[in-house]
Amino acid sequence: MNVYDAERMADILAPIGYELTATAEDADLLILNTCHIREKAAEKVYSDLGRLNKLKFARAPSARPMMIAVAGCVAQAQGEEILQRAPYVDIIFGPQTYHRLPEMVARAYRKTGAILETEFPLESKFDHLPKPRALGRYTAFLTVQEGCDKFCTFCVVPYTRGAEFSRPTTDVIDDAKNLVKGGVREITLLGQNVNSYHGPDHNGNEWGLGRLISKLAEIQDLERIRYTTSYPAEVDNDLIETHRNIPALMPYLHLPIQSGSDRILSAMNRHHTTHLYRSLVDRLRNARPDIVLSSDFIVGFPGETDTDFQSTLDLVDEIGFIGAYSFKFSARPGTPAAAMPKQVPDKVKSDRLKILQNKLNTAHIAFNAATVGKKIPVLLEGHGRYPGQLIGRTPYMQAVHVYAPKKQLGKIVNLRIDAAHANSLSASKIIEKVGRAVT
Ligand code: SAH
């Protein structure tokens, strides 16, 4: 979502004359779009700011001084602290106020002191942003839902992104049509809990995510639809049926479970048990037999014992994830888990993370290896590292390199996979063209 937000910031600044630069040195306005989800990401902001201030300082005597802005969830959570620790920052704004950027920039130029905009405004930023543009790409993100009301005990999102909000269906459909008109062939619908989507249609009736996806699938030339990130307790029948009925909905689902221990899941306030998760996976596989799953895990949540951790390892084996993100529990200020007793020592967290990541990596490599020799539809979306090489994605998000003519960009082609590497696949040539995009 930060990628999407950053693009929208560029969109809203374009009419007042800003365009993206290739390097920080060239910029008149540097925006650091930040993440507060774990301590490591948040601390990085201050070291990055120190580095950027050197650039600003070097430019100060010139006719083109530089401004520094801090955006995103660290700005939201620590606005005042940033002002104190980095007084050279000109603008600080949260994820819900960036539609006001042109005005903030103008105020900063008039030198009215540092600008801090981190309230949750009554108006929705989406009503004030220009239509998203395809910018010559074949894949795009599209935010449909934002914020979170779930209050997992480890998580800062409800405090930084705010309460759950779903965009109206017509706005989403218009944005999607616009992107497809500009050449986009794959859209990933975004939300902190994207499957809690309940946007109103023009009659005020609320649609769930499944209905929204089914409608979007009617858009001519929209070949692929994905969505992320889902909250397991809110995967409903309709969404599962959408996986059954809509071929454009890719058979790959990122469904964070966090732990394989019911005791820990309950302490996390996750609202799902391992039993519920298993039965969801069964139902999804029944609806779409070729579906694969990835997940998120937190190790070393307060009170996690060796037995709890073993349950997580067992669950990974049982479900057969094709990959996952895994993290050491990071105590976030103001969240209930930060104040829980029985915090797990860092050494134990590191050891557990290593064991879990080894297991997940092995599964990921095996999944990649299993594609060798198979024919797989790949959406060619960009240029590879070597001349003549294109890069695309399988339905399962694996990157594939292939030597193919440039005119195949934006098309779905069947490739025979020749080799699998840790993070990508390669194919020697296109064996046939598929998909509506091909003429
Ligand atoms: N809405 C999604 C989570 C998105 S946050 C869900 O409900 O599952 C992205 C991931 O960051 C989470 O899935 C979790 O694994 C990780 N995360 C969030 N807070 C964390 C914390 N305090 N410490 C470590 N990892 C955390």
Side-chain angles (χ1 to χ4, degrees):
M1 189 171 281
N2 267 11
V3 172
Y4 172 89
D5 286 341
E7 286 174 359
R8 307 315 322 270
M9 289 174 205
D11 285 350
I12 195 147
L13 287 170
I16 60 164
Y18 284 89
E19 58 185 52
L20 295 173
T21 64
T23 65
E25 284 80 0
D26 284 341
D28 297 329
L29 170 63
L30 285 168
I31 304 179
L32 203 57
N33 195 18
T34 62
C35 177
H36 195 56
I37 196 89
R38 284 172 295 278
E39 191 179 356
K40 216 162 138 189
E43 270 309 307
K44 211 167 151 278
V45 173
Y46 294 100
S47 52
D48 282 350
L49 277 175
R51 200 170 43 78
L52 297 179
N53 188 36
K54 293 205 175 88
L55 301 182
K56 177 174 168 157
F57 189 75
R59 278 265 292 278
S62 80
R64 264 179 61 210
M66 188 183 262
M67 283 202 296
I68 298 180
V70 183
C73 291
V74 178
Q76 186 65 44
Q78 302 182 0
E80 299 288 348
E81 189 180 335
I82 294 170
L83 277 181
Q84 274 172 16
R85 285 176 68 175
Y88 47 84
V89 169
D90 300 282
I91 306 174
I92 299 171
F93 58 98
Q96 306 307 347
T97 47
Y98 64 75
H99 56 292
R100 298 183 186 158
L101 250 178
E103 181 206 324
M104 291 186 240
V105 170
R107 275 162 54 208
Y109 263 116
R110 289 199 301 270
K111 300 239 179 309
T112 48
I115 314 289
L116 180 65
E117 291 232 8
T118 51
E119 81 282 26
F120 290 106
L122 286 176
E123 81 271 13
S124 157
K125 67 181 175 227
F126 294 104
D127 295 336
H128 297 267
L129 293 169
K131 279 190 191 308
R133 295 169 297 161
L135 297 170
R137 279 173 320 196
Y138 304 103
T139 62
F141 290 128
L142 177 51
T143 293
V144 300
Q145 181 277 338
E146 231 186 299
C148 187
D149 301 338
K150 303 295 181 290
F151 294 93
C152 297
T153 53
F154 53 81
C155 191
V156 289
V157 167
Y159 315 100
T160 54
R161 287 266 171 187
E164 284 185 4
F165 164 81
S166 297
R167 297 183 62 201
T169 58
T170 45
D171 293 3
V172 173
I173 295 163
D174 282 354
D175 280 0
K177 283 184 178 159
N178 212 39
L179 288 168
V180 173
K181 213 161 76 192
V184 164
R185 295 292 170 264
E186 172 180 310
I187 291 180
T188 302
L189 306 177
L190 297 180
Q192 267 77 39
N193 284 307
V194 69
N195 60 322
S196 76
Y197 179 83
H198 55 269
D201 68 9
H202 55 281
N203 295 320
N205 297 321
E206 288 189 351
W207 291 22
L209 186 66
R211 185 163 175 198
L212 182 70
I213 289 171
S214 305
K215 186 74 193 170
L216 292 173
E218 292 172 11
I219 299 175
Q220 179 81 34
D221 293 335
L222 179 56
E223 308 267 6
R224 291 181 165 187
I225 302 173
R226 305 177 186 275
Y227 61 93
T228 200
T229 298
S230 296
Y231 184 74
E234 282 183 331
V235 175
D236 61 11
N237 257 334
D238 197 40
L239 189 55
I240 293 174
E241 285 310 300
T242 309
H243 277 282
R244 188 192 304 278
N245 299 326
I246 303 291
L249 182 56
M250 290 293 97
Y252 170 70
L253 181 58
H254 184 68
L255 194 59
I257 184 164
Q258 312 300 357
S259 168
S261 154
D262 285 321
R263 212 173 59 79
I264 296 296
L265 288 175
S266 156
M268 287 176 166
N269 191 31
R270 281 296 282 178
H271 291 121
H272 64 80
T273 57
T274 52
H275 174 74
L276 180 113
Y277 194 90
R278 284 189 187 95
S279 75
L280 273 180
V281 172
D282 287 347
R283 286 160 63 209
L284 283 159
R285 284 181 172 152
N286 184 283
R288 181 89 200 231
D290 58 344
I291 201 163
V292 301
L293 288 128
S294 63
S295 205
D296 287 348
F297 292 91
I298 295 177
V299 300
F301 185 83
E304 186 188 70
T305 62
D306 284 341
T307 316
D308 293 318
F309 179 61
Q310 188 57 47
S311 308
T312 298
L313 296 177
D314 293 345
L315 182 120
V316 169
D317 284 335
E318 184 195 329
I319 303 280
F321 295 105
I322 61 137
Y325 299 107
S326 47
F327 315 98
K328 289 196 269 188
F329 167 72
S330 169
R332 308 307 290 126
T335 60
M340 282 180 186
K342 298 199 193 139
Q343 297 284 328
V344 175
D346 191 59
K347 166 91 174 74
V348 177
K349 289 188 209 170
S350 299
D351 290 349
R352 288 181 186 164
L353 187 67
K354 210 161 142 201
I355 295 168
L356 177 62
Q357 288 190 337
N358 270 339
K359 192 182 259 307
L360 292 164
N361 277 343
T362 307
H364 182 66
I365 289 168
F367 180 70
N368 279 353
T371 60
V372 175
K374 286 199 180 138
K375 191 169 93 173
I376 299 188
V378 170
L379 171 59
L380 296 172
E381 60 178 44
H383 293 277
R385 201 172 345 142
Y386 302 107
Q389 198 183 45
L390 299 184
I391 189 162
R393 297 239 173 224
T394 70
Y396 310 114
M397 286 301 273
Q398 297 148 295
V400 188
H401 297 95
V402 62
Y403 287 92
K406 225 168 66 178
K407 65 173 197 294
Q408 299 295 345
L409 277 174
K411 294 180 180 162
I412 294 179
V413 294
N414 270 337
L415 299 179
R416 178 86 58 198
I417 303 301
D418 291 334
H421 321 281
N423 291 313
S424 66
L425 308 174
S426 48
S428 53
K429 64 176 187 344
I430 294 173
I431 43 182
E432 63 196 347
K433 300 169 191 172
V434 289
R436 281 177 291 173
V438 178
T439 49

